[in-house]
Each structure stands twice: as C-alpha cells, then as structure tokens.
Amino acid sequence: MNLVGLNEVLAPAAKGGYAVGAFNANNMEIVQAIIEAAAEEKSPVIVQASQGAIRYAGLDYIVGMVRTAAAGVEVPVVLHLDHGTDFEQVLRCIRYGFSSVMYDGSQLPLEENIAMTRRVVEISHAVGVTVEGELGKIGGTEDDVTVEERDAFFTDPAEAERFEKETGVDALAVAVGTAHGPYKWEPELDYPRLQKIKERVSASIVLHGSSGVPDEAVRQAVSLGVTKMNIDTEIRQAFVRAVVAYMQADPDNIDPRKMLAPGKEAAKKVIKEKMRLFGCSGKA
Ligand code: G3H
Ligand code: 13P
Ligand code: ZN
C-alpha cells in the first residue's frame, strides 16, 4: 500500500476511541518488525524516523526501507519525521517521500514556535503532507527538574487552542507528564490538563514518551482522546536484550543475521502488545 498521511489513520481512531502506535525505526530489522506486526495485527501504523535514525541511516535508506516494507502489506502506513527542528530538513523529508512531518518548535519562544510551525504547515499541506507540532516541553527522564519546573513545562490548554488556530497543525504533541527514555519513577499523567486540552483542540493529540507508561494510564489517556502514542525505548530495550541473550548463549556466532533475528522478533512482540493496548489491532 502507498504511504498515507496522519489524518487517514488518526481520524478513524478519534471516531473509534482508540490510538494508533507511532513506532521509531532505528534500523532495518525494526522497520520489518513494525510493518510485519501491523500486517499480522491488521492495524494501521505510523513508522517514524528520529534525528538519530536520520544520522544513522540517511533519508534515502529510511524512505527506501519503509516504502518497500509498506508496499508488501494491505494496512495503511504513515512515514513520519519525528522531532524535526530544522526547516530545511523538513523540506528534504518531504522531497524524499515522507507522508508526514513533525516540526518541534517547543524549545522556541511561543511566537517563534507558532510562526515556524505555520510555515511548515503551509508548505506541507500544499503538497499533501500532514504536520505534527509540539507545545510544552516533553524532555527526557534524565532531565533533572523540580515539581514546580515540571508543571511550568506542561502544555497550557489556552495556548494549545491558540497554537492550533494560528498554525493549522493536524496533530499536537502535548506535555502532560511523560518523558523520553526509561523512567526512573512511574510517570504521573496530568489527566485534568489533558481533558482541558482535548476540550479546546480538535487536532489529534499525541503522547510522546509512551514507553514505560503503565497500561492503565495508557488506557486512561486514550479514553481522554489521545490518538497517537509514540514508542521507541521499549522497542530498543527488547531488541538489545534479545541480541545480548543470543550472543551470551552462542558467543562464537559470527553471523550478524543470526544475532539480529531474535532482536527483530522481540521488537515485534512488544509492538504487537502495544497495538492491542492502544486498541488499533483489527482496525485496518
Ligand atoms: O524522541 C526521540 C527518540 O526516542 C530519540 O531518538 O536517539 O534516535 O535521536 P534518537
Ligand atoms: P520513548 O522512547 O520514551 O518511547 O519516546 C518515544 C518518542 O516520544 C519519540 O518521539
Ligand atoms: Zn518524542
């Protein structure tokens, strides 16, 4: 199937009360794991490429791998740029064939974030590419912030309404208590804030840092209207642990394919479990 934009998978999710998994592709085996999991679960899926993935593989390999994998399945696949912060890179992604982009201006002052995101939306929409923006600071679990600081970083519902109106984004990443990477403590989500954002914003709501969020909190976030759930860390952990276990069991192995195969299977298992948790299994 050809690549599709975010709205094609997220509008039905909003109607059906489920979320679609957005999985970070770190390498070829993980691209295969994501697409095979989606086909076997009959689930729509978002494959996303981070800055690290682009540095590692380059845009031509990423687009080549995802297009090839998507062409072999019937389920809708979105190829999305994750946390783009460079306007020219966004343009390159569109030219290479991404069907969706994220422009992350969350480190900029609000006015600049709005102006830059609007610029990305104008260009992307003109060529049929969807856009995710970010408001509030999501950060990493390594960032040492106090409770007061944490609160100040969260997305303000009134600002979110203004951001959507002035930028025209299709999706909005919000800061409501999640962070990127492995959590040191169980994350606490600010559900009342999420509800207020949802009441004021009609764009799809995105939860970054969804790895390590307890299942019950994920279900609650979905019930409050989150329709895109980003997962990277749990896939990496499963992949690397399986490869290490394989090498410990067979330290003399010199075939990289034998070493990576268990990583791919472990990644696929995590992705399928997340698809069932998000409710997108069986929705394609
Ligand atoms: O949100 C972004 C990713 O989880 C981090 O990705 O280390 O591949 O740039 P990266
Ligand atoms: P995790 O690595 O915490 O799953 O976050 C992924 C993410 O938000 C990618 O944008
Ligand atoms: Zn993220």
Side-chain angles (χ1 to χ4, degrees):
M1 199 170 180
N2 285 334
L3 300 175
V4 300
L6 277 184
N7 296 335
E8 279 174 67
V9 299
L10 298 186
K15 244 188 223 152
Y18 60 92
V20 177
F23 303 102
N24 282 73
N26 287 211
N27 61 11
M28 182 189 76
E29 286 74 15
I30 294 178
V31 172
Q32 292 172 326
I34 296 167
I35 301 295
E36 286 174 25
E40 287 168 28
E41 289 295 312
K42 298 195 177 5
S43 172
V45 73
I46 301 159
V47 182
Q48 50 190 20
S50 67
Q51 295 305 305
I54 293 170
R55 277 194 301 276
Y56 178 68
L59 290 177
D60 42 2
Y61 273 91
I62 292 170
V63 175
M65 288 190 294
V66 176
R67 270 214 185 123
T68 303
V73 296
E74 300 293 324
V75 299
V77 178
V78 180
L79 173 55
H80 184 68
L81 168 66
D82 192 27
H83 294 286
T85 52
D86 171 2
F87 180 73
E88 285 170 18
Q89 183 192 59
V90 168
L91 298 185
R92 277 196 297 278
C93 287
I94 295 173
R95 180 161 164 74
Y96 272 84
F98 279 59
S99 56
S100 187
V101 294
M102 175 180 189
Y103 180 76
D104 176 359
S106 61
Q107 301 300 319
L108 303 172
L110 178 63
E111 301 299 328
E112 274 178 58
N113 186 3
I114 290 176
M116 282 303 298
T117 307
R118 185 172 47 220
R119 212 170 147 210
V120 169
V121 168
E122 280 167 6
I123 287 166
S124 304
H125 282 183
V127 292
V129 167
T130 49
V131 179
E132 174 183 342
E134 178 172 325
L135 191 61
K137 293 190 178 66
I138 293 161
T141 51
E142 301 307 310
D143 299 345
D144 230 351
V145 288
T146 64
V147 175
E148 296 75 39
E149 279 170 336
R150 209 178 88 107
D151 216 41
F153 288 168
F154 282 3
T155 307
D156 177 72
E159 272 182 15
E161 183 178 350
R162 179 180 164 211
F163 186 86
E164 176 185 40
K165 216 173 266 157
E166 296 187 14
T167 62
V169 286
D170 303 285
L172 179 65
V174 294
V176 292
T178 56
H180 295 111
Y183 289 97
K184 288 185 214 154
W185 299 279
E186 203 167 280
E188 269 179 48
L189 271 60
D190 187 340
Y191 300 116
R193 183 182 298 268
L194 187 54
Q195 191 160 12
K196 282 189 201 119
I197 295 169
K198 186 64 199 161
E199 282 162 10
R200 286 167 169 252
V201 169
S202 56
S204 304
I205 303 295
V206 185
L207 200 65
H208 284 244
S210 300
S211 291
V213 175
D215 289 2
E216 211 25 65
V218 166
R219 285 191 201 100
Q220 180 77 0
V222 173
S223 77
L224 291 173
V226 171
T227 51
K228 177 174 180 275
M229 287 278 181
N230 285 12
I231 299 280
D232 188 359
T233 296
E234 280 193 57
I235 299 174
R236 294 178 178 195
Q237 288 169 329
F239 189 96
V240 172
R241 281 174 193 153
V243 172
V244 169
Y246 180 86
M247 286 310 293
Q248 279 168 345
D250 184 8
D252 296 327
N253 167 60
I254 55 102
D255 185 339
R257 296 165 298 188
K258 286 190 178 154
M259 178 181 89
L260 295 176
K264 175 183 155 186
E265 287 313 309
K268 199 166 150 182
K269 184 165 176 282
V270 167
I271 295 162
K272 286 178 148 193
E273 284 166 3
K274 293 295 177 189
M275 286 171 165
R276 289 178 204 153
L277 173 63
F278 300 157
C280 53
S281 286
K283 296 296 196 305

